[in-house]
Amino acid sequence: MSTLVWSEALSLSMPVMDATHQEFVDLLALVEASEDAVLLSNWKELVAHTEAHFAREDQWMQATGFAAGNCHSTQHAVVLDVLREGSRQGAAGHLAPIRQIAHELAMWFPHHAQNMDFGLALHLKSMGYDPETGLVGEPDKLPDQAITGCGGACGSTSQPPASPVAAEVSAHP
């Protein structure tokens, strides 16, 4: 049995993102349940899905003001490197690393979805971004400076915001 099962707790109330995440969870469950004879082919399907999944989210971030090196995209790159290493190990006949990585993914994904992807979903919704068309409904809400943090809800721009104390001092000289 899979260690991760899709549930409403993983939903971000963003249908395109939720459908992609549900497919990820289903493919991960397939990998975890795979017999050795089909493990590598199922793993490759999960890796291909994840590459497209992360590329789409990274494109959404780029289109809505994230810096190229933001921590969310960086985490995607690191996870993809690990998945690709699993593919290399599997191609060499070593299936145990794939099974271990799949187990780790099942523990990692809920945290990633409920934090980084949740922040991204809020960010996208706040400016009326349509992930299907790539159109920004409220372009005036795009950030003035690139977001370098992990998501719209927890991200930061390239310049730190003024502290509330500094704002209070300058308001009352």
Side-chain angles (χ1 to χ4, degrees), residues 81-144:
D81 284 346
V82 172
L83 297 181
R84 291 174 184 138
E85 179 57 28
S87 294
R88 286 188 288 276
Q89 292 290 321
H94 307 293
L95 300 180
I98 290 176
R99 294 195 186 283
Q100 182 62 41
I101 295 167
H103 176 74
E104 298 294 331
L105 278 174
M107 293 188 299
W108 166 82
F109 182 73
H111 178 77
H112 178 82
Q114 293 167 343
N115 290 282
M116 289 190 178
D117 288 341
F118 179 75
L120 175 58
L122 286 177
H123 169 76
L124 296 175
K125 289 175 189 178
S126 75
M127 62 193 56
Y129 183 77
D130 182 345
E132 297 279 358
T133 65
L135 297 176
V136 177
E138 299 182 53
D140 56 309
K141 292 189 176 179
L142 287 167
D144 293 332

Side-chain angles (χ1 to χ4, degrees), residues 4-51:
L4 179 62
V5 177
W6 177 260
S7 72
E8 285 306 307
L10 294 172
S11 174
L12 302 174
S13 298
M14 186 169 220
V16 172
M17 196 179 278
D18 287 341
T20 300
H21 286 173
Q22 187 166 3
E23 184 179 354
F24 174 86
V25 169
D26 292 346
L27 289 170
L28 181 57
L30 181 65
V31 166
E32 288 184 304
S34 293
E35 298 292 329
D36 286 353
V38 295
L39 179 61
L40 186 56
S41 65
N42 290 341
W43 179 257
K44 288 179 180 180
E45 187 177 353
L46 175 66
V47 173
H49 162 86
T50 306
E51 288 170 338

